[in-house]
Amino acid sequence: MADPAERLDDVLAVRHRPYVLPPAYVLSVIGSVEPWNAKALAAQFGQASAERTVLVVDLHELVFGGWDLIGVLLDARSRHPAVVLVGPLPPLLCARFAVTGAGALFPVAPTLAEALVASVP
């Protein structure tokens, strides 16, 4: 069976999954967020913004995400009531979260199931 993830380029794909109970929208980011594909990723986050529910960003299949990903996540946080990340997060992203302090803005759950439970108000 083909993976339903939308390919943004040869190193990045995004999978969209809206949930009714709990009301959440899950974006799975798969691969590497690079400067040349960050704008396309931001557009995918924009599509999720139409939902105006809690956004769960599953990063457990993320290989690389640096400054560009942090920018996309910060923008998403301004559009959603809450943004919950699913890890484990790559070490470089953790380091950049620590340097910027942005990590404190995003709760990180170890699994998608736990992130969905955490998204319930």
Side-chain angles (χ1 to χ4, degrees):
M1 178 175 2
D3 186 351
E6 181 175 340
R7 303 237 27 109
L8 301 183
D9 66 15
D10 62 338
V11 297
L12 180 66
V14 175
R15 184 179 303 123
H16 293 259
R17 291 176 286 179
Y19 284 77
V20 176
L21 292 174
Y25 196 92
V26 177
L27 271 179
S28 299
V29 181
I30 305 156
S32 295
V33 178
E34 304 287 350
W36 63 84
N37 61 24
K39 190 172 183 177
L41 179 62
Q44 297 293 310
F45 273 75
Q47 183 178 339
S49 293
E51 297 292 319
R52 292 296 303 156
T53 62
V54 173
L55 178 63
V56 176
V57 183
D58 187 347
L59 299 174
H60 89 272
E61 294 182 84
L62 182 70
V63 175
F64 173 81
W67 302 118
D68 296 294
L69 177 59
I70 290 173
V72 170
L73 290 171
L74 289 171
D75 184 57
R77 190 170 183 276
S78 71
R79 298 172 190 242
H80 289 273
V83 177
V84 179
L85 307 180
V86 177
L89 305 180
L92 181 61
L93 182 59
C94 290
R96 290 186 173 166
F97 270 158
V99 166
T100 62
L105 301 174
F106 300 99
V108 179
T111 66
L112 178 57
E114 290 179 62
L116 289 170
V117 168
S119 74
V120 176

